[in-house]
Structure formats: structure tokens, C-alpha cells
Amino acid sequence: ALYNYKWYIPKYILVATFSIGETGAANVALFAISLLALSDPEMAARLGYFRIKQADNINAITLPELE
């Protein structure tokens, strides 16, 4: 049975939810790394570089023209 989440997650308690599968696993990893990077400057720099690379990859995509 599905239960209303409000009964199980108290107000002001932060909870991260992710999808199942490969995409969810990648998002969990990035979330964990971003938390660890809060106290590790080298990891923060590497994460920042990764995010810039990802943004560049997305910006390089050319969509086909609509007919």
C-alpha cells in the first residue's frame, strides 16, 4: 500500500530521492560527491571541472531543424 510521505518524513528533515537504475545510480554518486566536496577542496575542484565539461557537452549538442 502507498502511504502519505508526510507521516514518515518530519518537517525540516532534508531527504534526497533518486530514480532507480543507471541514471539514478549516477545521480546518487554525484550527490554523494557534492556532499564530500563540501569539506575537500580538491574534490570540489574536480567536481566543478566535471560540471563545466558536462555543460560544455550539452551546449555542443545541435538539435535537428523542425520541418
Side-chain angles (χ1 to χ4, degrees):
L2 293 175
Y3 297 101
N4 188 333
Y5 73 91
K6 287 195 259 183
W7 296 109
Y8 296 100
I9 303 172
K11 192 187 268 189
Y12 307 114
I13 302 296
L14 300 178
V15 175
T17 58
F18 302 96
S19 63
I20 297 173
E22 187 177 331
T23 302
N27 287 333
V28 166
L30 286 169
F31 181 75
I33 291 168
S34 68
L35 289 178
L36 294 171
L38 293 172
S39 61
D40 184 338
E42 181 184 346
M43 192 177 292
R46 293 176 72 180
L47 179 61
Y49 176 73
F50 172 79
R51 288 178 172 165
I52 289 169
K53 268 183 27 180
Q54 289 297 93
D56 289 344
N57 290 340
I58 290 169
N59 289 330
I61 295 173
T62 339
L63 296 176
E65 293 294 323
L66 295 176
E67 296 179 15

